[in-house]
Amino acid sequence: MIPVAKGTRLLAWLFTAPFLLVVLFFEVIPLLAVATNSLFSADLLSLANYSEILTSAFYLGSFKVSYLISAATALVGLVAALPICVVLRRMPGRIQQLITICANIGANFTGFPLAFAFVILLGISGSFTLLFARLGILDGFNIYGTTGLVIVYSYFQILFAILLLLPGLGAITPDIEEAAFLMGASRWSFWRRIGLPILAPSLISAYLLLFANAMGTYATAWALVGGSANVVTIRIGELTAGDVFSDPNLADALAILLVVSLIVPILADQFLIKPRQNTDA
Amino acid sequence: MRERNRLDWAFICLVAAFQLLPILAVALNAFATDWAGTVLPEGYTLDHVRSITSDPRFLQSIYNSLLVSVGSLILTPLIVVPAVLIAHCYFPILDRWMAILVILPFAVPGIVLALGLLRIYSGNYGIVLTGTPWVLIFGYMPVAAPLYYVPIKNNLRTLRLTELFEAGRLLGASDFAIFTKIVVPCIKQGLIIGLVMNFTLAVSDFVYANLLVGGHFPTLQIFMGVLNGGSGRKLSVLITTYFVVIFASTAIVVWAASRRDDK
């Protein structure tokens, strides 16, 4: 920290004020509004919205589908991204930078563009569907369902995982690797006994963020499957903007349940696991 | 070692091909005469490009998207970057709070934030921002803040700021001059990464646009949604345009950045 004179201090607060106001008005207050609204049902303060969700097989089912898709695609992302990052680390800095930027574009490649691209490749008359059908594998494949969502989500999850993992891999320096190999470790035993344990904390954080990323995905699911996709975000969107099922307060309650289920593990990781790491670094 | 090097490159190229495949498919489809029942298109044409460029909604949606992105690219760094710098240099307590705010957009999905903005700014409290670009420009700001915070913070950590400020003050420079003349040039790289990611975010968003402005202010993504029901060819042209815009703007920024960073 740099010591500041009183006048400068006042000026400094003045320069941070716009940011704090934006956070207050466009993040904190809107979230509080969602939380407050979720506690009202038919203009009365009650937990009716929550009890409706927690006893409804339909809404609980949407959480289950979302959880399964997110857990699976977060794992796919990590498993695919780890070897990619290990190889990338050996590349020149320029290439790493280039791939990082491309991965960032790819990780934002969601919604209609992504869904439509996969329909061209794997839709009913998609190139790969036809190719695979001609080869006699994967007959009767249907992308407009949960399997399709897993495949399409995996695309941006892998790229997002590269972004998350690449900086952390700096912890595995060449001298650690060399030392292990000098002592006769094989590549496999190096990763099993040294590499992965060193990376474990950043792998856990990355997994949680990937999981949250998939849980919160709305545009891609909407673009690919539409209202029939039983994932939480689609249910929220439908209750908010739908013509038939509109119930804003119920949507808010679903949203709060979604946030709580994501924020608890992420905060636990950030404030219980991370600080312990930083003390010995 | 050479052998391994070649394998590395082959592997990375394979990954790149995997990433490019869906994008290539859309681009091919944009120029295909007929592509049904075959693995590759039968012929190529510019008809779809012509038909969509004559659609007024096409230019309107591009204009709207650029308006929001440029607005976001001007206002967001102006508001976020000073706060990041000041918190890092002067106010450690604020800095700790900023670290929490940074995780928030990860933990709170876009649709939930959009829902909150809809509750507050659709007239329930006397303020109507929905349907205007402003709700998008300001709505993206908390989400874009971490995109600046993380890379800039990485740059700041490598600076010995206490010494820098002592030396600067000794020479009679004001803190403002130290920030603008020394600190900001040092964080340029982080700032550029932030700008690229902020732009991608603003052009790619569908969730906020769909819930908050919808048909009142159709952006590229909203228009894609409109076309999704109809001709796939037009949609392909639109998506290809979106990619050209993103790649071109990213390439310009990366080129500008790498010129200064020739190490």
Side-chain angles (χ1 to χ4, degrees):
Chain A
M1 192 186 84
I2 296 150
V4 249
K6 230 179 189 162
T8 324
R9 178 177 282 270
L10 200 70
L11 210 63
W13 277 114
L14 223 60
F15 271 100
T16 41
F19 174 72
L20 298 177
L21 286 176
V22 165
V23 168
L24 184 68
F25 281 99
F26 292 89
E27 193 166 16
V28 178
I29 291 180
L31 283 179
L32 288 177
V34 172
T36 320
N37 277 343
S38 74
L39 292 172
F40 282 89
S41 178
D43 289 331
L44 288 173
L45 191 66
S46 79
L47 288 172
N49 295 316
Y50 289 98
S51 65
E52 183 178 344
I53 294 166
L54 295 174
T55 53
S56 147
F58 183 56
Y59 290 121
L60 287 180
S62 73
F63 268 99
K64 197 178 152 200
V65 174
S66 278
Y67 275 134
L68 288 176
I69 294 177
S70 306
T73 60
L75 195 65
V76 170
L78 269 196
V79 170
L82 188 59
I84 296 173
C85 290
V86 169
V87 172
L88 270 178
R89 268 278 152 195
R90 298 201 286 255
M91 298 260 161
R94 276 256 177 121
I95 302 288
Q96 282 187 39
Q97 205 188 9
L98 187 73
I99 298 272
T100 310
I101 288 168
C102 287
N104 171 58
I105 294 178
N108 273 296
F109 179 21
T110 55
F112 286 102
L114 182 69
F116 188 66
F118 272 86
V119 167
I120 293 178
L121 294 173
L122 290 167
I124 293 171
S125 59
S127 307
F128 278 76
T129 321
L130 294 173
L131 195 68
F132 289 144
R134 222 169 277 174
L135 296 173
I137 41 177
L138 226 82
D139 228 4
F141 172 75
N142 178 13
I143 196 173
Y144 306 100
T146 311
T147 326
L149 287 179
V150 169
I151 294 174
V152 177
Y153 279 27
S154 294
Y155 179 87
F156 60 76
Q157 290 283 66
I158 292 172
L159 296 167
F160 187 37
I162 294 178
L163 289 179
L164 292 173
L165 286 184
L166 200 56
L169 271 179
I172 301 194
T173 50
D175 47 305
I176 298 183
E177 240 176 312
E178 261 165 46
F181 293 140
L182 270 180
M183 289 195 260
S186 69
R187 191 157 282 276
W188 164 245
S189 65
F190 168 75
W191 278 106
R192 198 169 55 94
R193 295 180 177 218
I194 301 163
L196 287 180
I198 291 181
L199 288 180
S202 53
L203 287 175
I204 293 172
S205 309
Y207 186 84
L208 290 174
L209 293 181
L210 286 165
F211 180 80
N213 188 41
M215 285 296 287
T217 299
Y218 169 70
T220 308
W222 174 250
L224 188 71
V225 191
S228 67
N230 196 21
V231 295
V232 182
T233 46
I234 294 286
R235 293 282 81 84
I236 295 174
E238 189 177 67
L239 287 169
T240 309
D243 310 320
V244 191
F245 307 104
S246 181
D247 184 347
N249 297 96
L250 195 62
D252 289 338
L254 265 180
I256 292 298
L257 285 177
L258 175 64
V259 169
V260 168
S261 69
L262 296 179
I263 216 166
V264 170
I266 289 179
L267 287 183
D269 175 55
Q270 294 284 336
F271 295 101
L272 298 176
I273 302 175
K274 276 266 177 65
R276 240 186 285 156
Q277 251 182 288
N278 290 344
T279 47
D280 33 75
Chain B
M1 219 52 199
R2 252 217 121 72
E3 185 64 18
R4 181 166 154 192
N5 212 338
R6 206 169 296 159
L7 267 175
D8 281 1
W9 281 104
F11 182 64
I12 292 300
C13 289
L14 199 76
V15 172
F18 155 81
Q19 192 191 343
L20 287 175
L21 190 66
I23 301 174
L24 269 175
V26 177
L28 270 185
N29 198 42
F31 299 106
T33 45
D34 188 29
W35 193 6
T38 49
V39 174
L40 281 175
E42 280 163 16
Y44 299 93
T45 167
L46 284 172
D47 283 355
H48 318 305
V49 179
R50 251 175 254 134
S51 87
I52 199 171
T53 42
S54 60
D55 189 333
R57 292 176 299 173
F58 174 69
L59 284 178
Q60 185 65 46
S61 67
I62 292 184
Y63 175 79
N64 286 350
S65 271
L66 285 179
L67 191 74
V68 170
S69 337
V70 171
S72 176
L73 282 185
I74 293 171
L75 285 177
T76 310
L78 267 183
I79 291 178
V80 173
V81 176
V84 173
L85 295 181
I86 288 170
H88 181 89
C89 296
Y90 297 154
F91 307 130
I93 301 170
L94 182 63
D95 204 33
R96 232 165 289 148
W97 276 98
M98 295 250 278
I100 299 177
L101 290 177
V102 162
I103 322 164
L104 215 62
F106 285 111
V108 182
I111 188 156
V112 179
L113 275 171
L115 212 60
L117 293 173
L118 189 68
R119 300 282 177 265
I120 299 283
Y121 298 110
S122 58
N124 296 346
Y125 300 91
I127 318 162
V128 183
L129 285 181
T130 48
T132 70
W134 294 109
V135 72
L136 295 182
I137 292 174
F138 282 99
Y140 295 151
M141 226 174 260
V143 189
L147 305 178
Y148 290 94
Y149 179 87
V150 175
I152 288 180
K153 200 76 181 162
N154 284 339
N155 282 165
L156 283 174
R157 281 198 197 100
T158 62
L159 297 178
R160 300 175 65 169
L161 283 165
T162 322
E163 281 94 331
L164 242 163
F165 269 77
E166 267 170 21
R169 284 171 179 171
L170 213 61
L171 293 169
S174 68
D175 279 18
F176 186 76
I178 297 172
F179 270 120
T180 51
K181 295 210 171 122
I182 303 192
V183 180
V184 171
C186 288
I187 58 150
K188 206 170 220 163
Q189 212 196 359
L191 185 63
I192 287 170
I193 297 176
L195 286 169
V196 174
M197 301 210 277
N198 186 0
F199 179 77
T200 321
L201 171 89
V203 182
S204 308
D205 166 70
F206 170 76
V207 182
Y208 278 65
N210 187 39
L211 274 183
L212 298 171
V213 296
H216 295 284
F217 187 78
T219 61
L220 260 178
Q221 300 280 335
I222 295 283
F223 189 35
M224 284 179 197
V226 173
L227 285 185
N228 196 39
S231 140
R233 297 286 192 274
K234 270 191 168 183
L235 181 56
S236 301
V237 178
L238 193 61
I239 296 173
T240 312
T241 315
Y242 156 80
F243 273 116
V244 171
V245 169
I246 287 205
F247 275 116
S249 52
T250 306
I252 292 169
V253 173
V254 172
W255 173 76
S258 64
R259 276 202 327 170
R260 324 203 145 257
D261 199 43
D262 270 343
K263 279 185 268 183

